[in-house]
Amino acid sequence: MSEAATHPATEPVARPELLASLDPLLREWLPRQRWFAGKGRPVTGFSLVTANELLPTSGQLGLLHLLVRAHQPATPAQGATAQQGDCYQLLIGVREALPPWLAPALIGHVEEGPLAGRTVYEALHDPRPADVLLEALRTRARIGELRFERDQRQQIRGGLAPRLVTSEQSNSSLVYGDTFILKLLRRIVPGVNPDLELPRMLARESCPRVPAPAAWMTADLGNAQHPAGGETYVLGVLQPFVRGATDGWELALHGLAKGEDFGGEARALGRATAEVHTALARALPTTTLGHVQMELLVEGMTERLAAAAQAVPALRPYAPGLRTAFEALADLAAEGQTWTAQRVHGDLHLGQCLRSPTGDWTLIDFEGEPSKPLAERRMPQPPLRDVAGMLRSFDYAARSNPGSPAAAPAPSVPDTWADTCRAAYCAGYAEAAGRDPRTDPVLLRAYETDKAIYEVVYEARHRPDWLPVPLAAVGRLAASP
């Protein structure tokens, strides 16, 4: 491929027939994927947004890039907003038969349509399709609706050996030769995605705590062939790979298992968080939240508590005490206190932080909570929301034992470890930001409470064995003055 190489839109594969032939296979395969957001509800059908060949499907090895909407019955909370269906990015390899080493990637065998008799599979497990993505980014390719862009200041060398990151995550990641990591978004929405927007802004601020995007891929649906014409979807971001880094969650659990102090790391992580917040406040506008704005914030928190108590009976005895956290915040706002809001990470926890072998901390994954609307994820918020997320993460780590997270050896052990980390993190934050988060205890408690309530619902639905972890925090927060 040459620079800004342009490829014609896919012609050999008829799009309606293609989706019809894949439909029965995708109905079985898609709900089993970690990143599928509609678990627990049947898939009733698919509609095709885009289909492009990145490698010809008529050859020995084909590669299809698809954007498909999965249609499912709406939940009562979703109502009419779920009519359109979630849109997913799929990279599908096409072969006559799979070699044994690709057996775990199998989607199925196509029985009819343009791919009849072929085998389709998750292409990211295969080095050749992974190579195609890096080469398209390196050369700024144009393939149908797909646009591959890159920062001209960063050099991207071809031929880097790819490997798929196999740890559980809500998206998919490919590492290229320990030089770059490509995060491919799975459930995608139109608009400016903060996972690309914020790291680019931070790069302009020369903030070393966040890897600067080297390249990115989008789908441009700006023509009359698409019902959603004029919209752009961010599909993936290529960033420098932090070689030899360990994520904060693994590091914390390793330290706990060995009985090592984590306070120094927590303090350094607090400083890193504050540096990112300071850079974001310089790069993007801030705003002031007064009585009206805080009323809406408290209303949302209160509604989430009510819904959570309805869904998880174990939460109900704590609901009155938890509600006082939100009432106290409403009272402060009514008295005239205001807060500064800015762009923040939005989903900060130990797993979103990497420590390099030199001891430097890096923050990653600025997508925010994927389940929330993009407009909400891009709203300015008090930085204490990120701080509260990290404080909850220390508590999770302290109470997590391999195989049985609920079976902490004794309450004093996890509580002491978590309290030490929480204090060190806030102290480190104060060193860089000039203000200790603990000087705003009402807002901090409200955000911690809101986060713990979210955790209770998540664990009740997905990991019931973990439910005692957030319930322990709920008991503490409900009893707080």
Side-chain angles (χ1 to χ4, degrees), residues 26-27 30-31 36 38 41-46 70-73:
L26 293 179
R27 288 195 194 210
L30 191 61
F36 182 69
R41 293 178 289 137
V43 176
T44 58
F46 296 97
H71 301 287
Q72 300 179 269

Side-chain angles (χ1 to χ4, degrees), residues 284-350:
L284 293 161
T286 62
T287 188
T288 299
L289 302 182
H291 186 199
V292 173
Q293 294 85 355
M294 296 307 289
E295 270 191 336
L296 293 173
L297 180 68
V298 169
E299 182 180 312
M301 291 176 169
T302 305
E303 289 176 353
R304 285 191 288 274
L305 170 59
Q310 183 69 26
V312 185
L315 186 63
R316 293 172 192 169
Y318 303 104
L322 297 174
R323 196 174 296 111
T324 64
F326 308 143
E327 292 169 348
L329 182 59
D331 290 343
L332 269 187
E335 293 169 6
Q337 183 164 331
T338 61
W339 290 265
T340 299
Q342 62 167 82
R343 296 297 296 278
V344 297
H345 182 282
D347 188 24
L348 193 61
H349 54 77
L350 284 164

Side-chain angles (χ1 to χ4, degrees), residues 258-280:
K258 296 181 68 175
E260 296 175 348
D261 176 64
F262 199 71
E265 298 293 352
R267 195 180 194 102
L269 184 52
R271 288 194 297 269
T273 305
E275 289 175 18
V276 171
H277 283 166
T278 301
L280 285 172

Side-chain angles (χ1 to χ4, degrees), residues 368-379:
E369 292 183 10
S371 61
K372 294 192 174 181
L374 184 62
E376 183 177 337
R377 286 185 267 152
R378 297 186 67 232
M379 288 177 58

